[in-house]
Amino acid sequence: MTKEKENPGFMEAIYRKHERLMYYIAGKYTANAQRREDIVQTAVVSLLRKEATLRRLPPYAQINYIAAAVRNTAINALKREQKELDRCISLEDLTETFPTQFMPSAEAITLEKDLLAVFQEMKEDEQQLLMGKYLMDLSDAELAQTLGCKASSIRMRLTRARRTFIKKLQDGGDDNA
C-alpha cells in the first residue's frame, strides 16, 4: 500500500497547517486580498502536482518548499500583471495623443457619403454582388447561390456592376437607370 492511500488527507493537512504562512508570504507581495487569495490558490495547485515530492521531505523542508512555492507564484503573478499593464494604455492617454492623421478629413467624409449615395442608387442584385464580393469576401459559388444564378456568370455580372458603379460616380449619381 502506498503512502498516498495510507494518508489521503495529506495535502489538506499541509494546507491547514501552513495556511497562515502562505497568506503571510503572499501578503509581502500584494496588499490586495483577492490577489493574495489567487496567489495562494495557484501555489496550492502547483503543490498538489508535487505531492509526492512534498511527502518525501522532512517537516522543516516542507515549510521551505511551501514558502518557495508561494514566493515564486507571487513573483510570477506580479510579472504577468506588469506585462499586462505595459501592453495596456488608458483611453484618456490615447485620446490625448491620438494622431490627427488617423481622423477622417471632411473630404473623406464627403467622399464616403457620395459613394454610399451612388451605391444605394444601384439595383439590389448589383449591391448584393458588390457587397458579397468585396465586403464579405464570398466566393463566386457562394455569390451564385445567393443570387440564384450560375457560378460561371458571376465574373461578368461583377464586371457589369463595377462599370455601373463607376459610371454613376462619374455622372455624379444623377443617373437613376
Side-chain angles (χ1 to χ4, degrees), residues 87-139:
R87 286 192 307 255
C88 296
I89 186 169
S90 83
L91 289 176
E92 292 158 356
D93 293 342
L94 182 63
T95 55
E96 290 174 8
T97 61
F98 192 73
T100 55
Q101 69 190 30
F102 295 116
M103 300 214 149
S105 65
E107 295 85 22
I109 293 171
T110 304
L111 178 62
E112 187 177 312
K113 287 180 181 177
D114 292 344
L115 289 172
L116 183 60
V118 169
F119 184 76
Q120 289 174 340
E121 290 177 9
M122 296 179 69
K123 295 177 189 172
E124 188 174 333
D125 63 331
E126 291 175 329
Q127 288 179 6
Q128 285 181 340
L129 192 61
L130 291 174
M131 282 179 42
K133 185 66 174 181
Y134 299 111
L135 295 179
M136 295 188 280
D137 201 26
L138 297 177
S139 67

Side-chain angles (χ1 to χ4, degrees), residues 23-64:
Y23 279 98
Y24 174 76
I25 293 170
K28 287 184 171 185
Y29 294 92
T30 181
N32 183 307
Q34 183 63 44
R35 286 189 189 134
R36 239 184 351 255
E37 179 78 23
D38 289 343
I39 289 168
V40 170
Q41 294 305 316
T42 305
V44 168
V45 169
S46 69
L47 288 170
L48 282 169
R49 289 189 209 120
K50 301 291 187 177
E51 182 178 354
T53 303
L54 204 52
R55 283 180 183 274
R56 287 191 303 266
L57 296 174
Y60 65 88
Q62 286 176 351
I63 294 171
N64 290 334

